[in-house]
Each structure stands twice: as structure tokens, then as C-alpha cells.
Amino acid sequence: MEDRPLAELFEPATQERWREAVQAALKGGDFEKRLVSKTADGLRIEPLYPAAEPIAQPVRAPGPWRLSQRVDHPDFDKAAAQALLDLEGGADSLTLVHSEAPAARGFGLPIGSVADLDAALDNVLLTIIALRLDAGPKGFETAEHLKALVEKRGDDPAELDIDLGLDPIGLFAATGRLRADWQPKLAKAVKDFEGYRGRIALADPRPYHEAGASEVQELAAALATAVAYLRALEAEGISLERARDAISILLVADADEFLTIAKFRALRRLWARVEQACGLDPKPLRVHAETAWRMMTRRDPFVNILRTGMAAASAGLGGADSVTALPYTQALGLPDAFARRVVRNSQTILIEESSLAKVSDPAAGAGGFEALTASLTEGAWKAFQEIEGEGGILASLEAGKVQARIAEVREARAKRVATRREPLTGASEFPFLAEKPVALLDVAPKAPAAPGEGALPSLRLAEPFEALRDAADAHLKAHDARPQVFLANLGPVATHNARSTFAANAFAAGGIEALGNDGFAKAEDVARAFKESGASIACLCSSDALYETDAAPAARALKEAGAKTVYLAGKPANADALKAAGVDAFLFAGGDLLALLADAQRCAIAQA
């Protein structure tokens, strides 16, 4: 090799050369369809970005984010024990969840007095931790109990880091109910807690996110709510500067690390714009994070550990001041000590061992993150202005406009989930029919109050697939067998294996057990094996070449053998001929799997 620097021996890497190499690898495939993705807001995500110049970015105060744990056991003594165990195990912040808060999910603390609150925080030193209240419709009353508790214990308010979490507008979005006196009550809370280090009002867009909101819609709702609180407090005689200092914002963190990091960065830029418009000198915004409820699954819940771990890391990297991660069994019931320990230790590792909080803004200068942050900032500002043009967030909610826009995004996402373009591991992809129950605390959830008119729905993405699995499990319990589909494999294993494996996993997402085999050479052999299986539905699996010659005779034979529904794995060119021969539906990537499974399950159960 010549004795020259490497840079002189090889052509420099350029985006043009990369694009040429990609086009060659695609062999004529569409670059846009294959490599460019879009967010729920239609924002482009390119496969490659050049380095970007770092933009001055508001960041959190120096140091790691706070590790916050939910305290939500309905028994006060057990809740206090939960809190102490979490604090001893590394948490430095608590989120106290009232039983009437929407986020309680049927659990939470029924706090009704100072004594109740004192019992829930027994032996918890408020002067050395941060505390956030999540009390929903009991927010103002719980705040008064907290103030009385501080006075009872003789704590110095200046030493306390307390967020009251008062969010009457967010509660209206979640429940459809709004107390008429919320403005003077909010102003009174600001005055009553003068001298405390925390925040009073919280702009919390969790109801919008749980209803299916996009990143832009979530940011716009949070910003519009915070601005509404600024106006309300100013109208009650509180200065804009004091009002600004009384407000914090919570954002939802999900498993998409790129969008989550960019979303948290965008929020701080958006708030800086609001401060500028108000003529205020900028101050760090307090930003809380909670991992997404809508991404949690009841099936294969251990995958939730990965989801919440990624979400917590992304929120921390994006600049959250505190992160509350949901335990992996949260969607199933009240998490036990092990589930709480796992979610707590996950964050401890991120902070202490992975040192993710050492750099104030690690995404600065990264082309992808800077581009996404800028796109979300501009998109959210435009959406915020639209809400403002409708009279503000309350007026928009009362007119149903915010709800209608979110419904459009929710329906589009539901289609992506149904077609597995947005796959859910353990639910729609890679389901595990033999999974064992996980441990939960033996506490029955309380039935939620009926929502009022205009309330946003709280949904998890996996619910439609989980409903099918629940129905299949009920059938298993009643008949000692799952709904079954016979895999009519044509040809040797090497020929049908790819599609038979694909079909078995697809049907398992609906709780349907696939009856496999090594394959058949003749239609009569397929029909005989099907009849012996006892199944009522069948799925042909093979190569496109064999579909041309063998699928039609096999479909006819299956029908003659009593198959009520015949599916075919793939999207063959001779689909019309196969339909005429007896194929009822085609199972293929990108098709509506949810609808197909619902029909397959009905047929399989009806014939059992």
C-alpha cells in the first residue's frame, strides 16, 4: 500500500455517492417508499441527514433528571411502604396518584383529609425529595391538605420541591367536566403556595396522547393549556412573571426515541417563544415526563420493559426534569414490588451507569434530531395558533374541534395497527400463545366514572388484538382447546416454510393456534389431513410458483372436505382464479390483519 494518508487513498464519502449506492441496492425500487418514512403529522424522516450546526437550545438545569415513582396503592399504609421502598431503592421523587385521577386506572389513594395524606407519606421526608400530585378532580382539595400537612410537620416551604399538578383544563379534556371556579381557585393556590420551590399548575397533554394525538397535536395542546393558565392567572391579578413561574408542563414519552427526544427539545423552544411574546426574560421551564399509556400491552408484558426503558431514556436525553415510568404490568393491574423495582432500576442504570444525563443536550448538532426538532417546533406552533384562533384550548374543546382533529389521526393510526404497518410486539407481531400469567398485587380496580360529553377516549393501541386473544382464551377455558387453523402446506418444507411461519404468527395474534405439518404433494392428501385435524378453517401456504399450479385444486378439495373458510398466505397473481376455486381471503403483509382475524376467529369458534 502506498504510504499516503487514508483520506487520499479513498474517495471522500458524499451524500451523492451514498445515494447512488442505495439506488443500486434497491434495484429499481422506489427510494421514497422504501427509505423515507413519515410521522403521524406527515413530517418526513429521511434515511440520512448531514451534520447540522447546533442551534441554541433551552435545556434543563445541570444535573440528572429526577427519577419519579408512582405511589398508587389504595391502602395508605401499603402506599407509604411503597414510597419508602422506592426512595431507598434510588428514586428521588414521588408522584402521588389520587384514586379519582384519570391516571389512577382504577387504583390510587382515596385521599380525603390531612390525616390520609400524612399516612400515605408516613416517614417520607418532603425536604429531601420532589413530590408531584396527580389528583385529578380532587386537585385543589389535595393541595390544601398538603399545605396543612407541611404546616403540621413544621417543614420550611422554601426547602420543599412540590408540584401541585393542578390541571383543570386537562381534566376537562379527559372527563368532559370543568369546575366553574377553576380560575380563582388556581390563583388562590398560587398565592397560598408563595415561597414554595415547586409549581402550581400543570399543562398535562396525557388525555390527548391517550386519545391518539400526534406529536404536533400533543405539543400544541400542552402549549395552549399553559398559555390559558397564564391568561387566567393574569386576569386574577397575578403578574405574568409569577404566573410563568407557577407553570410546568408534562409530556408523554413513548418508544420512538427519535420523535420523543425531538418532541421534548421542541417544547422548550416553543415555551421560549411564549416567554418572548409575553416580554419575559427566559427561565428554565420545568418539564415532567411520563411513559406512554397507549403503548403498553397486556400480552407479553415483559416487552413493556423495553418500551418504557427506551421512552425514559429518550425523555431524559430530550431534557425532561423528571421521568415517571410505568411498571411493565401497569395495563394488567396494580404492579407488585418486583415490577416497581424493575422500572426503578432501569432508570437508575440510565442515569448512574450509562451516564445519559452527563451532557445537557446530546442531540445538538445531529442532523436528524435538529431537523425533527425544527419540524415539530414549526408544526406545533402552527397547530397552537389554530387553537388560539378558535378562542383558545377551552373554546376549541367545547366546540369539539380538538377532538375531531385527534380522531382523524387516531383512525389513521388504527389502520396502521390493524395492517401491522405499526407493529406491536407481543400483540400483533411475534405473539406467544403459551405465555404465563405475571404477578400482580391482589387489589381489584375501581370502576371508572362515566365520562362526560366531549371527553377524549383513553385507549391503548393493542386493545383490538387483545380483545381477540381474550375471546380465544375464553374458548380455551370452555372447550380445553384454542380456535384452530389448519395450515395447508403445499410442497416440501423449503417451499412453504416462509409463508407457513408467517401465517402461524399472524393467526396467533388473534389467539388462533396453527396446526402445522411438513407439507403435501397432492390435493387429496391436503383434504384428508384437514378433515383429520378437526379444524374448520384452513390456510394454504406455499410459493407463488406452486400457487399457479396446485393452489386451486387444493382449495376445491378443502372446501369439499368441509372447510368453512379457506385462506391463502400471499398475494398471488392468479388471485381471481383462486377465489373462483374456493379461496375466501388472502393473508399478506400490509393487509387488514385485524379484520381477517376477527372473521377467522368467529368462524373457528362457531364450528367448535
Side-chain angles (χ1 to χ4, degrees), residues 57 76 143 246 267-268 275 299 345 392 405 523 558 591-592 599:
Q57 169 74 38
F76 293 111
L267 175 64
R268 291 191 181 276
E275 289 178 308
R299 297 293 175 165
N345 286 356
R405 289 192 289 268
L558 287 166
D592 191 336
D599 289 338

Side-chain angles (χ1 to χ4, degrees), residues 176-195:
R177 288 181 282 274
L178 180 71
R179 58 186 299 165
D181 62 346
W182 71 268
Q183 287 188 228
K185 293 287 284 185
L186 191 64
K188 181 178 183 299
V190 172
K191 295 170 184 175
D192 287 348
F193 282 82
E194 188 74 39

